[in-house]
Amino acid sequence: MTRIEQARILVVGASGALGTLIAQRLADRGARLVRHGRDAAKLDDSAGDAVVAVDLTDADAPEAIVDRAVDALGGLDAIVMAAGVVGFDGVAETAAQDLETLFTVNALAPMRIISSALPKLQESAAAGNEPVVLTISGIVSELPTAGLASYSASKAALAAYVAAAGRELRRSGIRLVDARPGHTETGLAERPLFGTAPRFPRGHDPEAVADRLVRAIEEGATALPPDAFTGA
């Protein structure tokens, strides 16, 4: 079981609805946090925690986020990737959309953050801790959805990277876990990078999803497929 109390945790995307809930639960369990978000104003309520306001699309954002988190915490025991953007497009529209931002935020930046943080996670493992990286690719990473072609692809890229990296890092004591919940009522679909959201059925309660994600960190889960969120 992973000890959260006093763990040094970077929450990427802590200003978003789900990231805020996850950060609150980790803080309630005694974690030491660095909360990342694009907008510093949305991080002002995180009293007592260090904050990093950096746009993930900036050229050196992943490395800067990790460096500033390590400076604030003195190391890293866990990373939660809760940042993400969504776009709605069919194949005919894909070429005209902002794919660079979509893939940078959803896949490339998380991949670079994991790689940049690896030395500190290895130090944590060597000290007898149980370092963990949690990503949230969502159900579209395994069930690509019509009308969400590029979004599905960006999330599938992240899921594939985490699956391969998890196998690579297993012997070093670093656990990577990818979560794939279905549609969750965070309001993200109402703020698409491009396109218009289709009518979705009622999604998961974000409070319940946050609870499940934090339990996964504590309980040593190595994967959270869609059915892990049944009832969430």
Side-chain angles (χ1 to χ4, degrees):
M1 184 169 184
T2 298
R3 183 179 176 87
I4 289 180
E5 185 179 2
Q6 292 301 307
R8 301 162 296 180
I9 303 178
L10 166 63
V11 181
V12 180
S15 59
L18 186 57
T20 296
L21 293 171
I22 295 168
Q24 288 172 346
R25 281 154 174 75
L26 293 171
D28 289 344
R29 286 162 169 78
R32 297 169 55 204
L33 300 181
V34 167
R35 305 189 193 213
H36 159 268
R38 183 177 61 180
D39 186 349
K42 293 183 179 179
L43 295 166
D44 285 347
D45 291 335
S46 53
D49 295 330
V51 299
V52 177
V54 176
D55 192 319
L56 282 174
T57 63
D58 291 349
D60 61 350
E63 294 77 17
I65 292 167
V66 171
D67 287 347
R68 290 169 64 178
V70 170
D71 286 346
L73 298 173
L76 276 177
D77 302 311
I79 302 173
V80 176
M81 304 283 191
V85 291
V86 67
F88 302 100
D89 65 330
V91 176
E93 295 82 38
T94 295
Q97 309 298 4
D98 186 4
L99 300 184
E100 184 172 354
T101 297
L102 187 75
F103 274 81
T104 296
V105 174
N106 290 348
L108 300 179
M111 290 159 60
R112 288 171 57 189
I113 287 171
I114 293 169
S115 180
S116 296
L118 184 57
K120 293 302 176 183
L121 296 173
Q122 290 171 327
E123 287 180 10
S124 176
N129 300 315
E130 300 177 26
V132 58
V133 177
L134 172 69
T135 59
I136 308 170
S137 68
I139 193 171
V140 296
S141 67
E142 61 179 68
L143 294 172
T145 303
L148 290 87
S150 54
Y151 176 67
S152 298
S154 70
K155 289 296 192 173
L158 175 62
Y161 182 85
V162 170
R167 298 186 189 104
E168 182 178 332
L169 298 176
R170 187 177 299 133
R171 290 186 179 179
S172 67
I174 300 170
R175 176 166 56 98
L176 274 68
V177 52
D178 183 52
R180 300 185 291 281
H183 174 59
T184 303
E185 296 293 337
T186 61
L188 182 65
E190 299 165 13
R191 304 182 300 276
L193 189 63
F194 49 78
T196 302
R199 185 181 296 276
F200 289 112
R202 181 69 183 175
H204 294 314
D205 176 4
E207 298 265 0
V209 170
D211 286 338
R212 184 68 187 89
L213 295 172
V214 172
R215 289 203 313 274
I217 294 173
E218 291 179 311
E219 295 171 358
T222 56
L224 284 175
D227 61 9
F229 297 89
T230 301

